[in-house]
Each structure stands twice: as structure tokens, then as C-alpha cells.
Amino acid sequence: MTRAVPPLPPRDGVPASRLWLPAGDWPDLLAFLVARFPHLDADVWRARFAGGEVLDELGQPLGADTPYAAGRCLHYFRDVPPERVVPFAETVLYRDERLVAVDKPHFLASIPSGKHLHETLLMRLRKSLNLPDLTPIHRLDRETAGVMLFCADPAHRGAYQTLFAERRVAKTYEALVHYRPGLTLPARHCSRLVERDDSFVMHEVDGEPNSETRIELIAARGDIAHLRLSPATGKKHQLRAHLAALGAPIVNDRWYPRLLPDGPDDYARPLKLVARAIAFTDPLDGAPRRFESARTL
């Protein structure tokens, strides 16, 4: 049974990665880490050891030649190349001792992942609000702007996440789409969404529906329509996949209906999708909560 190991204090707002050592016969920690992370050169790990960036359960630096011992816990801090600063600011809509509601800009990742670490909404807020224990209650795609919720007290995060799991949160989005003549609105679109085998995008397949979105027309001008979207479920890329499947993809979507080659962000062409509002009854004090984005499409 894995024993409890408390987390190490973050560095510059960045939490340490944690790695439990599996059974194996590596002679030392360096040999194991080189085998565990083949994309990293051995010299990278030697430099981390030399800089005291590989630590034991108590936060004490370890040497590259430390004998390998299955079952112990290592901590290390991610080494991320310089990040491109996202030139758009988030806006704090609400803050108390438990809950933080934020209006996220386009192009800013919600949480650290891949090449995005400091330039993420979570890391920005931990630093600017001095809340090192801040955690997301849900997520938005990096390309999507709008309302996102965070929990400032880890003891209460589960209560808020349960609201989403039990579908007791009313979420409203707005989008500009390439309007298809003959699309009858309002409509309720249900389908089974799964991730493609050859990429990270979602597509519809036969089978029991696992996603549902209500779609309403706000206005239409020429071949562009302004829609209100109310998802009853929260599948990955649900709104983008649903609208693409209906022949009305979101304006400036680089993934749906066709995955375009990766390239630098074009700040003049954001995805025309915003999480407009979130409403729910607070599970801890029973107060009605509603937060709305001021961002325009």
C-alpha cells in the first residue's frame, strides 16, 4: 500500500511533480530516470541532480548515484522552456474564502499542461491572489474564453465538483458559427462522442448518447449566426464537436470540423466561443450564485 507523503511547498507557484518508484533493478536514480523519461537526455537529469532539483519525501536533495530503492517517493520540478506571454488579462468576478470566479481570456490555458506552465490561468491566479492552494473546479479549453470557477479551500473542492458531476450547474455559452441554411433552431442535439484513434479530437459514433446540448438562435446575419448553447453534459470539446457535426462549425475553430496543422496563435482570430454564465446553488451556504462573462464575440 502506498503511504501518505505530504506535498512539497511550490516553487514560484509551481507544485512539485511526484513519482513513486516501481519495482526494478536499476543501479541508481539516474539510470531509472533516464529509462523512465527517454525523451530527456541524461545530462538534463545530471544538471537537475546537481542543482538540487530531485528531492526525497522530506524535500532533501538526492544525488544521481543514490541507489535505486523501489517504493520510495521522488519529487522534482518541471523544467519548462521560456513561454510566450499571452497578452490578455483575466478578470476576477468574485472571491470569498472558498470560491473564486474568473473571466478567462482566449488563448490562455486553464491549468498547466504540456508547454504551458506559468502562462496558465491557474498559475497566474495563485501568484496574483496569493492563493497557493487554489484549484480548478472545472476546466475550459485554452481557446475558449469566459467564466471559470476555482476553489480557494481544498477542503471544500469536492462539494463544488459534485455540483458538476450531478448536473446541478446551469452553464450557458455563446458562439458565432458558420450558419447552415435549413438548420432548425431551437434544437436539442444528443450524440455519442468519443476521441478519435488517430488524434485528440472528438467525433460522433453510433451508440448510446453520452452528450447533450440545447442550441438556440440569438441572431443571424448572412452566413454567420450568433447562438446560445446550454450543455447538459460536459464531454471534452462537446460544443465544438456538436456544432461541427451539425454543419455549423464555430468561427475560427482550428480543430473542427477539420484538424488544421499546428502553428502559432493568431491573436486576431480567436475561437468565437465564450462561456457566458454559470449559475448554481452554493452547496455550503445555500446561496444562489450566478457569474457572467463580460467578453464579447
Side-chain angles (χ1 to χ4, degrees), residues 91-218:
T91 301
V92 176
L93 302 172
Y94 176 83
R95 176 184 177 184
D96 64 21
E97 68 277 7
R98 301 187 303 266
L99 191 64
V100 177
V102 183
D103 199 351
K104 185 183 89 68
H106 291 100
F107 301 106
L108 185 66
S110 296
I111 63 171
S113 179
K115 60 184 179 181
H116 306 288
L117 178 58
H118 294 283
E119 279 300 292
T120 62
L121 183 57
L122 177 61
M123 299 308 297
R124 282 187 179 185
L125 293 171
R126 283 180 173 177
K127 297 173 186 177
S128 65
L129 302 180
N130 192 26
L131 292 174
D133 294 327
L134 191 73
T135 54
I137 296 173
H138 66 115
R139 299 183 188 181
L140 291 178
D141 293 342
R142 188 175 73 88
E143 296 81 7
T144 304
V147 180
M148 186 170 170
L149 302 180
F150 294 82
C151 188
D153 185 344
H156 299 301
R157 185 186 185 207
Y160 288 109
Q161 286 186 313
T162 298
L163 292 177
F164 286 85
E166 296 181 350
R167 301 184 185 178
R168 290 189 283 140
V169 177
K171 298 175 290 182
T172 305
Y173 291 71
E174 291 180 21
L176 296 184
V177 304
H178 297 282
Y179 194 50
R180 175 174 64 82
L183 183 62
T184 301
L185 298 175
R188 185 174 68 95
H189 187 72
C190 300
S191 69
R192 184 165 189 82
L193 288 176
V194 299
E195 191 172 279
R196 290 186 179 275
D197 294 333
D198 58 351
S199 67
F200 50 81
V201 300
M202 306 292 283
H203 69 142
E204 296 185 340
V205 298
D206 294 334
E208 183 71 20
N210 60 4
S211 60
E212 176 184 339
T213 304
R214 179 168 176 79
I215 306 169
E216 302 169 88
L217 178 65
I218 296 175

Side-chain angles (χ1 to χ4, degrees), residues 224-288:
I224 300 296
H226 185 184
L227 304 182
R228 180 181 298 110
L229 310 168
S230 302
T233 53
K235 301 297 289 184
K236 172 185 171 183
H237 298 174
Q238 177 176 316
L239 302 180
R240 300 165 73 173
H242 276 181
L243 291 170
L246 290 171
I250 299 174
V251 174
N252 297 337
D253 196 336
R254 294 181 56 83
W255 295 359
Y256 297 89
R258 182 169 60 92
L259 181 62
L260 299 179
D262 192 23
D265 291 328
D266 183 349
Y267 294 142
R269 295 174 55 83
L271 178 71
K272 295 298 184 176
L273 176 65
V274 62
R276 177 62 64 204
I278 287 181
F280 58 93
T281 298
D282 195 296
L284 299 175
D285 60 17

